[in-house]
Amino acid sequence: MIQRDAHTISLWQDHAGGYNTINKADRGKTYDVIIAGGGITGITTAFLLQNAGRNCLVVEAANLGYGATGGTTAHLNTLLDVPYDTIQRNFGKEGARQIREATAEAIQLIKHHIDRFDIRCGFEYADAYMFAQTEREAAALKDIAEATLMAGADVSGVDKVPLPLGAKKAIKVTGQAKFSPLPYVQRLATAFEHIGGTILQQSRVTAVQDKETILVITTQGPFHCRQFVYATHIPPGVNLLHLRCVPYRSYVVAATLADNNYPEDLSYDMQQPFHYYRTQMVEGQRYLIVGGEDHQTGHQENTENCFRKLEAHVRELFNVEDIRYRWSAQYYEPADGIPYIGRLPGQTGEIYVATGFSGNGMVYGTVSALLLKRLLLGLHSDYIKLFDPSRIKPVAGFNTFVPHNADVVKQLASRLFPAEKLEQLAGLAPGEGKLVNYEGSKVALYKDEQGGLHAVDPVCTHLGCEVHWNQAEKSWDCPCHGARYSVDGQVLNAPAGKGLDPHDIK
Ligand SMILES: Cc1cc2nc3c(=O)[nH]c(=O)nc-3n(C[C@H](O)[C@H](O)[C@H](O)COP(=O)(O)OP(=O)(O)OC[C@H]3O[C@@H](n4cnc5c(N)ncnc54)[C@H](O)[C@@H]3O)c2cc1C
């Protein structure tokens, strides 16, 4: 099993062995490109650039698949979370057409890699169904269907969906697919190394300085390159993109069914938040995979309840034999509905980024790789302007938020806290965490299963918001930009580059 940025265990991570690198990183040489992040975006970008003759190094803070790629549900779809009528409103008919075309190309590229490297990852083409259960949803689905058709997809109205429920209105879109993400990413990583690429795991990029060459400081020392890519899902540090991307958590269960009646294809309801359904065969066992209960990171106190609600929903619809896996992971919702891929705003040098994928980062991560390859090679692409991270699209309804807690939380560094008093204040059960007030200051306190207390400063090191406890993942999550920390304050998710300050407990 590989590690993930979470306490819960995903179906994919449980079935993946650790990735053993082949080539050694060389500090003495100047790489053409260094890519931070070993998820689908980083590995695909690295492979395409290496294949085009560039000498690339991937620097991964933990292990391949540690981020959302290890916690995804791996629908490969052009029928996206942000519907085409919204994309059309924000980017016009041509923009919507380009998005459909780019995502379809991404699915083709994934299939091409699977065929070329004989990747056993259970890839299958599928149809996607979206269905309405109320009159209001039916009216919205009509608009979505029209815009999806106009964007170039093969859309048809259908009477039935492949789920045991009735629908007022439903559409089917062909040309979608599904797979297991980690065998794909790991095998593509091997192919990348076979053609001369290098991967450095357990090494976090802590700073990038644009000098004569680009100096990349990592926890395993400095490296040099000419071009640099942040494929870290969200870039670390402080950037305009943190105000344009909202972090969300989504919950997933993988169940076995007593009646073997597994739904084929991909299905999406239109509830708020919506549910997404599919089946995947993994090592001879079929799993029904259902996701949903999404909420803004740090905005839901009882994250266990999200799993309970999702499980209840699955048990109501299906004849569940066993819930084998339940996990949650994070994604980033872009302000205007489509990702930010290109030059990192505010930088003069050749520093690039790919972020804001919503729940479609398998395809958008691959779209990013295709576009970044052209950008870094200095080639033209029709998509450069569309995905430009510096674009300004003020769209109605997007609730930007800025850190608002910084001034109310005092710095607590180097204070000594009496354990007895802290415990009384918190009244914690083993396995629980809580923000407690101690003499006018706040402490993020966790009690482990053995009764040991872990206290850290609750001020997020990114922009100073106050972190919230996530019971299901046993992590401290920042509601502002989605940085996440372990109970001892170590960084689990960017954009934070530095952990929470630990506090000594007497
Ligand atoms: C529950 C859920 C379900 C989803 N389902 C789907 C789906 O069905 N279909 C779909 O297309 N998309 C889906 N998505 C979205 C998709 O999983 C993600 O968008 C995608 O995995 C992002 O890939 P990535 O490579 O960009 O980022 P990640 O997979 O998060 O990889 C980023 C990597 O960067 C590393 N890193 C971070 N900071 C640093 C640093 N400073 N230095 C070095 N390395 C660093 C991390 O350790 C991590 O391994 C889902 C998302 C969630 C949360």
Side-chain angles (χ1 to χ4, degrees):
M1 180 167 79
I2 62 157
Q3 295 298 307
R4 203 167 67 81
D5 59 9
H7 179 74
T8 53
I9 294 170
S10 77
L11 166 65
W12 324 115
Q13 94 185 91
D14 197 30
H15 288 269
Y19 180 79
N20 296 318
T21 54
I22 301 167
N23 303 327
K24 277 214 160 11
D26 181 351
R27 271 207 242 135
K29 97 182 193 193
T30 299
Y31 287 91
D32 291 325
V33 188
I34 294 182
I35 296 137
I40 192 165
T41 308
I43 294 300
T44 315
T45 305
F47 174 78
L48 293 186
L49 283 165
Q50 188 76 31
N51 204 35
R54 295 291 160 105
N55 201 339
C56 301
L57 169 69
V58 173
V59 181
E60 162 55 49
N63 48 264
L64 300 194
Y66 182 78
T69 300
T72 186
T73 51
H75 295 225
L76 298 173
N77 41 353
T78 61
L79 183 64
L80 303 162
D81 288 10
V82 176
Y84 283 97
D85 57 334
T86 305
I87 298 175
Q88 201 184 86
R89 259 196 312 278
N90 293 343
F91 295 90
K93 285 183 189 149
E94 178 55 13
R97 190 198 63 73
Q98 286 183 321
I99 291 290
R100 201 218 59 94
E101 181 185 75
T103 49
E105 268 172 28
I107 297 176
Q108 272 172 26
L109 181 71
I110 291 171
K111 177 71 167 78
H112 168 75
H113 287 152
I114 289 168
D115 291 343
R116 179 170 167 196
F117 302 115
D118 190 22
I119 306 178
R120 313 253 159 97
C121 59
F123 178 97
E124 277 178 58
Y125 281 113
D127 296 328
Y129 293 81
M130 186 178 277
F131 58 92
Q133 293 166 295
T134 65
E135 290 301 337
R136 208 169 59 85
E137 288 174 5
L141 187 56
K142 183 170 169 290
D143 294 344
I144 292 173
E146 278 170 17
T148 309
L149 187 68
M150 219 178 283
D154 174 25
V155 188
S156 53
V158 288
D159 297 331
K160 274 189 166 172
V161 295
L163 296 177
L165 48 73
K168 275 202 181 317
K169 182 177 171 67
I171 59 167
K172 178 176 93 171
V173 179
T174 61
Q176 320 292 300
K178 54 186 185 170
F179 73 157
S180 292
L182 294 181
Y184 174 77
V185 168
Q186 290 189 342
R187 182 67 188 87
L188 197 59
T190 307
F192 162 67
E193 290 206 82
H194 281 160
I195 54 172
T198 308
I199 298 174
L200 185 62
Q201 298 185 108
Q202 307 299 338
S203 184
R204 179 173 292 276
V205 171
T206 54
V208 176
Q209 293 166 11
D210 182 26
K211 304 198 162 174
E212 212 168 290
T213 58
I214 296 172
L215 174 65
V216 180
I217 317 274
T218 79
T219 45
Q220 289 195 45
F223 290 89
H224 293 267
C225 63
R226 294 184 185 85
Q227 296 171 309
F228 178 84
V229 177
Y230 280 116
T232 50
H233 208 184
I234 188 88
V238 178
N239 191 272
L240 177 69
L241 294 180
H242 298 122
L243 302 178
R244 303 233 168 115
C245 291
V246 185
Y248 276 80
R249 292 205 70 78
S250 188
Y251 296 78
V252 186
V253 297
T256 54
L257 300 183
D259 57 7
N260 227 15
N261 210 355
Y262 290 89
E264 290 311 324
D265 297 304
L266 318 174
S267 300
Y268 312 95
D269 71 17
M270 296 181 69
Q271 294 178 15
Q272 297 277 1
F274 75 106
H275 297 98
Y276 42 107
Y277 312 79
R278 77 179 191 87
T279 295
Q280 182 75 42
M281 179 80 89
V282 179
E283 291 181 10
Q285 173 63 57
R286 261 180 210 285
Y287 294 93
L288 165 72
I289 302 170
V290 181
E293 299 302 327
D294 304 18
H295 62 78
Q296 227 172 297
T297 300
H299 286 237
Q300 182 65 255
E301 279 213 347
N302 191 347
T303 48
E304 280 291 343
N305 203 33
C306 300
F307 280 119
R308 275 196 285 274
K309 281 188 355 210
L310 184 61
E311 280 187 33
H313 175 78
V314 174
R315 287 184 190 280
E316 198 183 310
L317 279 184
F318 299 93
N319 189 349
V320 171
E321 177 188 58
D322 189 18
I323 303 274
R324 293 278 178 91
Y325 297 92
R326 38 175 250 166
W327 72 91
S328 77
Q330 187 153 299
Y331 63 90
Y332 297 88
E333 204 61 51
D336 53 16
I338 70 166
Y340 300 99
I341 310 165
R343 290 264 187 145
L344 183 68
Q347 301 286 329
T348 45
E350 289 221 48
I351 300 175
Y352 298 83
V353 68
T355 188
F357 298 153
S358 306
N360 301 115
M362 295 288 107
V363 279
Y364 275 140
T366 309
V367 167
S368 303
L370 282 160
L371 178 53
L372 288 169
K373 175 188 143 188
R374 296 194 72 80
L375 273 168
L376 270 71
L377 294 179
L379 303 172
H380 169 77
S381 165
D382 288 343
Y383 304 145
I384 293 175
K385 196 161 161 260
L386 183 68
F387 291 113
D388 182 3
S390 300
R391 68 183 182 261
I392 298 173
K393 285 260 169 213
V395 286
F398 179 71
N399 192 8
T400 48
F401 50 89
V402 283
H404 46 83
N405 293 335
D407 51 346
V408 296
V409 182
K410 291 183 192 150
Q411 288 300 327
L412 300 175
S414 71
R415 290 249 318 253
L416 223 54
F417 294 92
E420 207 180 281
K421 238 179 173 180
L422 279 177
E423 194 167 5
Q424 278 169 8
L425 287 170
L428 290 173
E432 253 182 19
K434 211 176 195 177
L435 290 181
V436 298
N437 274 307
Y438 180 71
E439 294 183 351
S441 302
K442 278 196 181 161
V443 184
L445 191 65
Y446 169 71
K447 187 192 270 183
D448 63 32
E449 300 296 341
Q450 288 71 42
L453 288 176
H454 304 244
V456 292
D457 189 337
V459 182
C460 178
T461 60
H462 177 231
L463 280 176
C465 294
E466 189 175 272
V467 294
H468 290 191
W469 177 243
N470 181 335
Q471 180 61 31
E473 295 297 359
K474 310 252 182 286
S475 60
W476 294 106
D477 297 359
C478 179
C480 290
H481 306 106
R484 294 179 56 246
Y485 306 87
S486 73
V487 293
D488 289 316
Q490 281 133 11
V491 177
L492 294 174
N493 280 159
K498 181 176 166 290
L500 298 175
D501 282 333
H503 289 306
D504 291 333
I505 299 176
K506 272 198 271 191

